[in-house]
Amino acid sequence: MTAHGKHKAGTLALDLLRGEHQRVRTLFGEFDSLKGLDDEDERKAELVDEICYELTLHTMIEEEIFYPVLRSAIADDDLMDEADVEHAGARELISQLEVMYPGDDHFDATVAVLGEEVGHHMDKEEGEMFDAARRAGIDFERLGEQLAARRAELEEDLSSPAGTIDAMEPHEGARRAQRPPD
């Protein structure tokens, strides 16, 4: 974005998705910087909650809006099918992390594998998928507005009082509250 909040012509959707990718990369980088520091368990848990939350929102808007538009505009089912499977793999690791605590067996390893898989996936999206979307002539301004609106709806839904969306309760701090005393 420029200083006036305007996006370069025709790139709103890609800028939005790339910005979300960067936010996730930054969170993984901060987590990596805490590896081996036992006194940082609370911050690690917070970062993992943020990572899981960001990835959940991001994959939802991609699967609901970006992927269907792209799939209908390009003739590359293999690329889109791989992206769907990669999202499913990320969801599986997220579901494991939502019931784990820093210090648990494989906690750091699970975060590391999620980071590696998501990093590979984001690189592929920003390369092959974004290139295919540009070649297909997709209206990125309109698509970006749809993505931003859906993300805002999801953020509101996911921050509503507990009970509105049970699957997201761990993001309200439940993981730390349920931790058994040492």
Side-chain angles (χ1 to χ4, degrees), residues 52 55-56 59 63 84-100 110-111 113-114 117-118:
C52 292
L55 286 175
T56 298
T59 57
E63 289 170 6
D84 287 339
V85 172
E86 289 168 354
H87 275 198
R91 272 194 301 278
E92 174 59 30
L93 291 171
I94 288 167
S95 71
Q96 291 174 31
L97 285 169
E98 287 179 335
V99 296
M100 294 174 81
T110 304
V111 176
V113 170
L114 178 61
E117 290 184 3
V118 166

Side-chain angles (χ1 to χ4, degrees), residues 31-79:
F31 184 90
D32 286 345
S33 74
L34 300 177
K35 276 188 182 159
L37 303 177
D38 293 335
D39 59 341
E40 292 291 344
D41 281 358
E42 187 173 336
R43 182 61 187 142
K44 283 182 181 178
E46 290 170 0
L47 283 166
V48 169
D49 281 346
E50 283 185 63
I51 288 167
C52 292
Y53 176 79
E54 287 295 330
L55 286 175
T56 298
L57 284 181
H58 182 70
T59 57
M60 288 174 78
I61 68 169
E62 283 188 337
E63 289 170 6
E64 290 177 17
I65 299 169
F66 182 56
Y67 285 8
V69 167
L70 190 55
R71 191 180 281 274
S72 69
I74 68 170
D76 193 343
D77 285 342
D78 289 344
L79 179 66

Side-chain angles (χ1 to χ4, degrees), residues 45-46 48-50 52-53 57 98 154-178:
E46 290 170 0
V48 169
D49 281 346
E50 283 185 63
C52 292
Y53 176 79
L57 284 181
E98 287 179 335
L154 289 169
E155 285 175 337
E156 189 174 317
D157 289 348
L158 299 183
S159 65
S160 295
T164 312
I165 182 160
D166 294 338
M168 297 307 292
E169 285 181 9
H171 298 294
E172 301 302 326
R175 173 188 295 130
R176 288 179 297 286
Q178 293 173 352

